[in-house]
Amino acid sequence: EDQVTQSPEALRLQEGESSSLNCSYTVSGLRGLFWYRQDPGKGPEFLFTLYSAGEEKEKERLKATLTKKESFLHITAPKPEDSATYLCAADSNSGYALNFGKGTSLLVTP
Amino acid sequence: DSGVTQTPKHLITATGQRVTLRCSPRSGDLSVYWYQQSLDQGLQFLIQYYNGEERAKGNILERFSAQQFPDLHSELNLSSLELGDSALYFCASSGSGRAGANVLTFGAGSRLTVL
């Protein structure tokens, strides 16, 4: 059975303190690994898609990377407005729907 | 505004009741996905429709059903409600029949509270 596991569950950073969020996956034939951001009371918002090991994508202070077993979302010099829950999801050969992890709740304090 | 519209935003009801959640997908998108989000389970896939036809089923209870209408809007019906059904219900749409082929665009969700 496909599994997507995110760690840590929660992370508190000081503004400017860089860190990484982890998404490990066990799926049958990964076709794509997705990162979404979710603000309280809102729906998830798309950030990145990664398709193959070694691929990297960047957007402002965020960089997503992919290996054969996991993906990382690196946050460089975060700001309070980066506070949100970050979700990863896998698209695999086993189904039509994205399989989401439980998310990492990030809080960035001034 | 993501372009995916969900109504109602909030709903409070009693155990044993039935409710209907509505979703209008982004213009041009043929696929509608329903997800349930609770604190302990995260986002759980319920069901997908593509151009009016059911395409995939996830962990959807028999008490729940859905349909997609000719104008592509979708409704999720939840019946014989239990306390454990309290959750956020999200609708997402995409242009493709397969989630990974296109990005999913999510609505703002419907928060259901069962008392």
Side-chain angles (χ1 to χ4, degrees):
Chain A
E1 184 181 323
D2 290 359
Q3 269 200 316
V4 177
T5 305
Q6 291 188 246
S7 62
E9 286 185 18
L11 182 62
R12 183 182 179 121
L13 299 173
Q14 288 256 304
E15 186 171 2
E17 181 188 358
S18 301
S19 187
S20 296
L21 312 183
N22 176 266
C23 171
S24 63
Y25 60 90
T26 307
V27 301
S28 170
L30 182 76
R31 294 190 293 205
L33 192 292
F34 293 73
W35 283 97
Y36 282 79
R37 168 190 170 130
Q38 185 175 20
D39 291 298
K42 296 190 176 181
E45 182 182 338
F46 172 74
L47 292 173
F48 305 106
T49 311
L50 303 164
Y51 293 104
S52 56
E55 189 175 358
E56 298 183 354
K57 287 196 177 168
E58 284 189 66
K59 180 180 179 179
E60 295 180 1
R61 295 175 292 283
L62 300 177
K63 182 168 83 172
T65 61
L66 183 67
T67 73
K68 289 187 177 178
K69 292 184 180 179
E70 55 194 349
S71 178
F72 292 93
L73 185 65
H74 307 277
I75 304 176
T76 303
K79 298 182 177 182
E81 52 262 42
D82 294 322
S83 297
T85 296
Y86 291 86
L87 300 166
C88 74
D91 173 38
S92 73
N93 290 333
S94 62
Y96 283 94
L98 294 186
N99 187 357
F100 281 84
K102 293 185 180 182
T104 294
S105 176
L106 173 66
L107 176 64
V108 182
T109 57
Chain B
D1 183 2
S2 68
V4 178
T5 304
Q6 288 189 248
T7 56
K9 291 193 186 314
H10 301 278
L11 192 54
I12 301 174
T13 189
T15 54
Q17 294 298 304
R18 171 190 170 96
V19 298
T20 298
L21 310 181
R22 182 188 167 103
C23 169
S24 294
R26 209 173 49 148
S27 178
D29 283 355
L30 298 179
S31 264
V32 169
Y33 299 79
W34 286 98
Y35 281 85
Q36 179 192 56
Q37 187 176 45
S38 59
L39 282 174
D40 56 340
Q41 290 296 319
L43 264 173
Q44 297 286 308
F45 168 66
L46 295 177
I47 197 165
Q48 178 207 358
Y49 279 82
Y50 177 74
N51 202 21
E53 305 265 332
E54 182 184 304
R55 178 61 72 98
K57 254 184 176 177
N59 300 322
I60 189 166
L61 299 171
E62 285 193 13
R63 301 183 284 109
F64 296 180
S65 65
Q67 55 184 325
Q68 186 179 30
F69 294 87
D71 67 352
L72 300 178
H73 91 271
S74 178
E75 292 181 356
L76 179 67
N77 300 297
L78 315 174
S79 61
S80 302
L81 286 167
E82 303 174 358
L83 296 178
D85 298 327
S86 296
L88 266 169
Y89 291 84
F90 285 104
C91 167
S93 72
S94 79
S96 166
R98 187 174 64 75
N102 291 103
V103 168
L104 293 187
T105 302
F106 282 82
S110 292
R111 181 176 293 280
L112 173 66
T113 302
V114 182
L115 301 176

